[in-house]
Each structure stands twice: as C-alpha cells, then as structure tokens.
Amino acid sequence: MCGIAGYIGRMPPGAEARRRTLATMARRGPDDSGQCEVSVGPWRCVLLHTRLAIIDPDPRSAQPFEIDGRVLIYNGEIYNYLELRETLIGLGHVFRTDSDTEVLLRAYLEWGEGALDRLEGMWAFAIADPETGSVLLSRDRFGEKPLLTHRTDHGLYFASEVKQLVALTGHDFPVRTAAIGDFLAHGYRRIFSSPEAFFEGVVRFPSGHAARMTGDGLSQPTPYWRPRFAPVDMSAEEAAEGAMAEIDRAIRIRLRADVPIAISLSGGIDSNVLAGIAVHRHGQPLHTFSMLEQDSDYDESAAIRLAQRALGVPAHETRVSHDGFLDRLAVMSRAYDGPVPSLGMYLDGFLSEAVADEGYKVLINGNGADEIFAGYYDHYLFWLAGRTGEAGADFDALVAEWRDSFGRHVRNPLLQNPRAFLDAPTERGHLHLNAPDVGDYLIGHPVAAHFAETAYCGDLLRMRMLNELMSESVPVLTWAHDCHYMHHSIENRAAYLDRGLVDFMATVPSRHLIQGGFSKALLRRAGEGVVPPEILHKTQKLGFNAPIASLLDRGDDALRDRLLADSPFWDLVDRDKVRQLLDPETESRGRDNFLFCLVSARLFYEEFVD
C-alpha cells in the first residue's frame, strides 16, 4: 500500500515538481520514497513512489523496482503472491526478495498483460518497459486503489490523488460544477457515473482495465475482467458449500502481512463472519475496532460486545464525537479532494483515527458483502419479484416470510410494498437519496427522474446488485476508505471483494440468495459455528449511521454564518432556500441525506474554491 505518481511524454517535470509530489504522498507512504526516469521509446517516463511497508518491509523491496530494465511502481497488495511465486519459481525465476512487488513484476515478465488474469488483490500500477517501448497502466477489478490521469498535448500525468497531479503539473484544476450538481441532486450513487473526477481535466482510470502508452499515445483502456451473471443448476447445499470455500479462501489470503492486522467490527453479519473465520478457523491474532453511536436507533453496542466476547481478542471501542463537525468535515474534504460522500463515511473517519492511534498499518473490513450476497432491503423485494411464476414457489408464503423478518424493519414507503418491483420493475425512486424537492434548491441543474443502470443481465436482482458492485456503492466506499485511511497511513483491505468469490456467486441461482426469510443466506451459512447465533439471525439492517441533527446544530449562529458566507457555491445553490433549511424552526425530517450532502459540498467549496 503506497502512493504513486508519474509522467509519460516529451516534457518531464523537473526536480522541484518531483520533490513537491513526493511530499504530498508522504501520508500514503511514510516508510520510504523513491524516483527514477526511464527512456521508453520516444518518451521520457518519470516514476515516483512512497512506501507503506506491509509485506517484506526490508529496503530491498523498495520502489521503483527494476528487473532486466523493466521498472514498476505499484500501490496495493497482491494477496495470492505466494501461489504465484511458487509457479514462477517452477518456470525458472529466481527471487531476490520476499515481496509481492517482485512477484507482480516477474508475473508481467512471464505473461505480459496476461498476468492480470492471474492476480488476486488490489492495485494501481505503472510498468515502464523499454523493450516494448511502452508503459503499462492498470487498476484492480473493484477499484480499491485509485489511479487518476491528466492529459496534455505533450504527455500524460498520473497519480493516486488529485493533490499529486497539482504538485506534478504545477497548476490547479478548476472544480467541475456539474459533478457537484449531480452529487447534490442524487447523493453518492452518481459520483462514479462519469469517469471525470470533481476537477476539470482529471479522469479516473477505470477499474478492471489496462492501457499502454506507446509512441502513438495512450491506448484506450480495455477491460481484462467483467462480472457476468451465468447461473448453473445447483442445490442450495452445493451453493452453500461453494460459497463457504470461496469466502474462506478470500479471507485467508487477505490475512497475509508482515505487520499486525486489525479488523473493523460492527454488530452486523459481514464483519462478524470475517472476524469469526479469521480467528476461529485460521488462528489469526486480531485487534477489533468498533464505533459506538449514542442514538438508540443506531446503537449496536450490545451486539458488538457479544461479538467481542465470542472472539476473545483485544477490542477497541471509539464513540462518535459530536464536537467540531464542520472542521472535521473540512479536513476530510482535503483528504478526499472532493466532498465527503455520506454521513457514514464521515463517521468512519473516527475509526481510522482510532486505528492509527493504536499504531496499526492494516485494517480489514467487510465491504462488498451486501452487493455480493444480497443484503439490502430492496434486494429482498427484487428477489420476490423474480420468484413469481417460478415452479414450486408460493409467492404468498414468501411474502409472509418477508413480513415476519425484514419487512418488519423497512421504513421507506416504496419498499414496504412486497409487490413493488413486480408491479413496476423499473422503479428506482428509492435510490434517489436526497429529498424529492431538491431541485428547488439547485440553480440550473436538472434533477433526472430516471436512475440509469448498466444492463448486466436480465435478472432484476442481479442487475441491481452488479450496478451497486461496479458503479454505485462499492466504488464510492473503496474510494472513501482509501482517502481517509491512507490519510492516516493505514492499508484498508476489503475481504469480500475477491474475483474468485464474485465469479462463483455469479453462477449461483438467485433463488438461493435468500432462504427462510433471511437475506445473505449463504454468508450466514458460512458464519455458522464461528459467529454468535444472535448476530447470524438478525434481520434488522442498521449500518453505521447517526442522525445529522446530532452533529449539525442548526441553532448555532456561528455555524449558520459559516455555511451561508459569500461563496461561488451560491451560483449553484439557492442561498435563501438553504438559509431557510438551516433555520431551527424549519421541519427538516426526511432531508438528512440532502442536508449532509449540502454541508459537505459547501465545505468542499470552502477548501478549494472560496
């Protein structure tokens, strides 16, 4: 886990620009830094790297890393590096380190771009290859590691963060107002609807893609992997056994590190299955970190403490602080180079600080489980719609199961109707996180009524899950976690974002995803014997959240004055309407998401535009 930046072209940045860039990457890699310049065909290639040493911390594994003239800089971890190393040794490779870095470069030397299909992990890398006269750029399948690019008429800049592009190019990038409008109108789900970042001229290199820079310029990024729903006939027991094997393998290889490992532990299923398998099946010594919210609607302390007792490992609890909300959000905005996307991500920032304070470099989380195993409230209703007309399925009995389990906890009016997606398969109104009248606040920005989706398949449930996995919720979570955990020099590993696991789950018939009134049925099965039954059998989904009223005191005159101060922000948003919304006498129920997005975007402007 590191920071990378570089340039490919005719006018390489000078020594001062490189020094500035390395300085901006210090938090991403506090253990070492390095740079080099390589001739690649007609181009000069500058490669910059800062290291957070996790595997083989010895200086011999420092980057840029060179073998036979090829040079690699890389941010991430290759979790199956031990298996690949054995294969490469069998093919005649002789290793000089114990690092996954050397495995990655030797895999490229052996298989070229074909190595990408063999890698399991998270990465953003650049390989300068003078022999082919090209530079290969690539990013992992689920976008866990960021890679941003900026093109000019003389070359291509790339980096982990916008601030490094600013340092390397020597100029600022204007804020892209259309992106702010989309964020305010639709919430976090629209952030990755465009490859452009929050700044003009900055483009996100697509996840699951690779591209080469040659004398003809940068090739169009091409996908090396894409999820595909292709169910095969199998029993529920076969689905459970196959899922258990893939979950166990995915977790096992993510426990590889030469430094101690921590885990984010909530009162929910995802993190508890992860922790239970790690501790009870693999004997992994862990330190758990949990966040506690005092609001009773979001308090998971009882379940968290039950989980802690069952694990029997050191545990750390951090309570959400309601002090200094605006200042903390502003600091996070600088780390994100953008608005903080959700209240949950703001709260997760407290966890990153706690992990850093205890000196841990690696934190494992359960991101992606809902999108892979079907864990959201709407998933259940998509599943119900898909079961109608299926041989042997009693729709009325399935609805009765839903009413006795998840249906008891649903608050969204649309999702309280079990026939919601049977009667209206294209309905997506529940995904517009912000208030229906948000358009009244925006100046000149349309609020689209239709929620765009990629047509991955014809199965309603799987199409929704794959959109969340590849373009809506998971990319935002991985971006946010990279931003605020790397701000504290912590590697964040998502245990379930595993190619083998996702590929297997794409072969499981949808009917097996929910069983007996329980969503995430296959993940629950995997946790049997290692997770307390009281947690495995929970049906209410809380998530890590808090009421915004507990953080944003609308009765605080200084707070309102700061948010309403003169700013170009008011060219996008009606200040008078915001003033009214911030009035403590105004009813704000149902507008929590919009109010948070509004405050987050306003503080982003305060940091980067005002």
Side-chain angles (χ1 to χ4, degrees):
M1 183 69 68
C2 307
I4 65 171
Y7 170 83
I8 314 156
R10 299 187 304 271
M11 299 173 59
E16 178 57 24
R18 300 181 201 188
R19 185 200 63 77
R20 287 196 310 264
T21 306
L22 288 170
T24 68
M25 296 196 294
R27 285 182 176 269
R28 299 190 68 91
D31 296 328
D32 196 7
S33 66
Q35 61 175 295
C36 70
E37 185 170 335
V38 185
S39 292
V40 181
W43 308 114
R44 300 297 294 170
C45 177
V46 173
L47 301 174
L48 307 173
H49 185 268
T50 58
R51 186 183 186 198
L52 180 65
I54 303 295
I55 294 176
D56 191 13
D58 192 278
R60 65 189 176 183
S61 296
Q63 301 177 43
F65 195 88
E66 182 269 336
I67 301 175
D68 296 338
R70 281 81 159 201
V71 186
L72 163 71
I73 55 171
Y74 148 59
N75 170 28
E77 299 287 357
I78 305 302
Y79 301 125
N80 65 335
Y81 77 102
L82 294 178
E83 291 81 1
L84 289 174
R85 180 188 173 97
E86 288 303 309
T87 299
L88 290 164
I89 288 173
L91 293 171
H93 288 262
V94 177
F95 285 79
R96 67 177 190 257
T97 76
D98 294 324
S99 67
D100 60 325
T101 300
E102 184 174 4
V103 170
L104 172 55
L105 187 51
R106 288 192 180 277
Y108 169 78
L109 295 177
E110 183 66 35
W111 299 301
E113 288 185 46
L116 297 172
D117 190 53
R118 298 171 181 259
L119 303 177
E120 179 54 57
M122 54 181 177
W123 66 82
F125 69 68
I127 298 176
D129 188 345
E131 185 168 307
T132 61
S134 66
V135 178
L136 177 65
L137 300 177
S138 178
R139 193 164 172 230
D140 67 75
R141 296 176 182 89
F142 303 104
E144 291 186 73
K145 293 297 100 193
L147 184 60
L148 303 172
T149 63
H150 172 66
R151 295 182 191 235
T152 68
D153 57 0
H154 58 77
L156 177 82
Y157 296 87
F158 61 90
S160 299
E161 301 174 15
V162 175
K163 56 182 65 71
Q164 284 119 48
L165 290 177
V166 171
L168 201 55
T169 61
H171 66 79
D172 292 323
F173 300 96
V175 168
R176 194 166 66 89
T177 56
I180 301 300
D182 273 351
F183 173 61
L184 291 172
H186 302 287
Y188 68 81
R189 288 180 183 270
R190 285 291 292 268
I191 289 178
F192 283 78
S193 61
S194 165
E196 296 175 281
F198 282 102
F199 296 87
E200 299 285 353
V202 178
V203 175
R204 302 181 188 96
F205 192 91
S207 59
H209 283 64
R212 281 190 183 271
M213 182 79 170
T214 66
D216 297 325
L218 182 69
S219 66
Q220 188 68 22
T222 56
Y224 58 84
W225 178 83
R226 178 182 169 95
R228 186 174 68 90
F229 179 52
V232 300
D233 187 32
M234 68 176 74
S235 67
E237 190 60 31
E238 289 170 329
E241 290 176 358
M244 177 64 244
E246 293 296 338
I247 292 167
D248 188 84
R249 178 197 51 77
I251 292 173
R252 174 176 54 81
I253 64 176
R254 282 164 177 77
L255 296 174
R256 292 171 173 171
D258 292 327
V259 297
I261 295 176
I263 184 170
S264 171
L265 183 71
S266 72
I269 298 163
D270 309 343
S271 62
N272 273 280
V273 171
L274 164 57
I277 290 175
V279 172
H280 297 305
R281 294 189 181 148
H282 296 292
Q284 178 70 37
L286 291 174
H287 186 141
T288 67
F289 286 81
S290 304
M291 291 298 304
L292 303 181
E293 164 57 35
Q294 65 188 31
D295 187 279
S296 59
D297 286 344
Y298 301 101
D299 181 15
E300 290 189 295
S301 58
I304 288 171
R305 285 164 187 164
L306 173 64
Q308 291 168 349
R309 291 192 296 272
L311 290 168
V313 297
H316 184 101
E317 295 179 353
T318 297
R319 287 201 171 271
V320 171
S321 170
H322 296 172
D323 299 329
F325 173 54
L326 295 190
D327 289 336
R328 288 181 59 86
L329 197 58
V331 170
M332 290 182 72
S333 180
R334 291 195 292 272
Y336 277 60
D337 291 324
V340 177
S342 72
L343 183 55
M345 287 298 97
Y346 168 79
L347 298 173
D348 197 57
F350 288 97
L351 197 70
S352 66
E353 292 178 12
V355 175
D357 288 344
E358 293 296 320
Y360 280 83
K361 285 186 173 183
V362 178
L363 179 77
I364 301 183
N365 67 66
N367 286 350
D370 286 310
E371 294 79 5
I372 295 169
F373 296 101
Y376 294 126
Y377 286 137
D378 64 341
H379 289 171
Y380 207 129
L381 301 192
F382 283 114
W383 180 82
L384 283 174
R387 298 299 307 277
T388 57
E390 188 177 280
D394 183 336
F395 186 73
D396 290 337
L398 294 174
V399 169
E401 279 186 342
W402 169 80
R403 291 192 189 281
D404 287 339
S405 59
F406 279 70
R408 292 186 292 119
H409 306 296
V410 177
R411 297 179 182 180
N412 187 301
L414 189 151
L415 301 182
Q416 290 174 341
N417 174 15
R419 295 180 56 90
F421 304 116
L422 182 61
D423 296 336
T426 61
E427 172 62 59
R428 299 293 183 271
H430 65 292
L431 300 179
H432 292 270
L433 298 182
N434 289 339
D437 60 353
V438 64
D440 296 340
Y441 289 82
L442 303 183
I443 298 173
H445 189 90
V447 180
H450 177 67
F451 196 88
E453 290 180 311
T454 300
Y456 285 99
C457 60
D459 183 290
L460 279 177
L461 171 59
R462 295 308 185 101
M463 186 172 75
R464 184 89 294 275
M465 290 168 65
L466 286 170
N467 271 275
E468 289 164 343
L469 179 67
M470 300 307 295
S471 60
E472 292 177 19
S473 53
V474 166
V476 177
L477 280 171
T478 57
W479 165 61
H481 280 140
D482 179 85
C483 290
H484 66 245
Y485 280 99
M486 289 306 291
H487 182 71
H488 296 288
S489 306
I490 299 166
E491 174 177 292
N492 195 277
R493 298 180 175 182
Y496 300 113
L497 295 182
D498 179 274
R499 181 260 187 93
L501 174 58
V502 170
D503 281 351
F504 173 76
M505 290 300 297
T507 69
V508 174
S510 292
R511 66 180 180 276
H512 296 322
L513 299 184
I514 295 175
Q515 300 174 27
F518 289 97
S519 67
K520 290 195 281 198
L522 300 181
L523 186 60
R524 294 173 195 265
R525 283 287 304 273
E528 291 177 356
V530 296
V531 176
E534 298 91 331
I535 293 175
L536 276 185
H537 299 152
K538 285 175 62 176
T539 56
Q540 185 176 15
K541 184 173 181 59
L542 290 180
F544 188 43
N545 218 327
I548 194 167
S550 67
L551 299 167
L552 186 70
D553 180 6
R554 292 187 298 155
D556 185 332
D557 291 339
L559 180 148
R560 293 200 312 274
D561 288 346
R562 177 174 173 180
L563 291 176
L564 293 168
D566 290 345
S567 166
F569 186 69
W570 306 120
D571 294 336
L572 304 177
V573 180
D574 188 321
R575 180 161 37 175
D576 289 336
K577 285 193 171 295
V578 174
R579 180 179 287 109
Q580 182 179 356
L581 181 60
L582 291 176
D583 189 317
E585 299 301 319
T586 299
E587 173 59 58
S588 62
R589 194 178 311 168
R591 299 183 186 178
D592 273 20
N593 287 309
F594 175 61
L595 189 52
F596 177 82
C597 290
L598 186 69
V599 173
S600 182
R602 174 65 188 91
L603 292 178
F604 169 64
Y605 256 63
E606 180 180 279
E607 294 299 313
F608 290 93
V609 181
D610 292 359

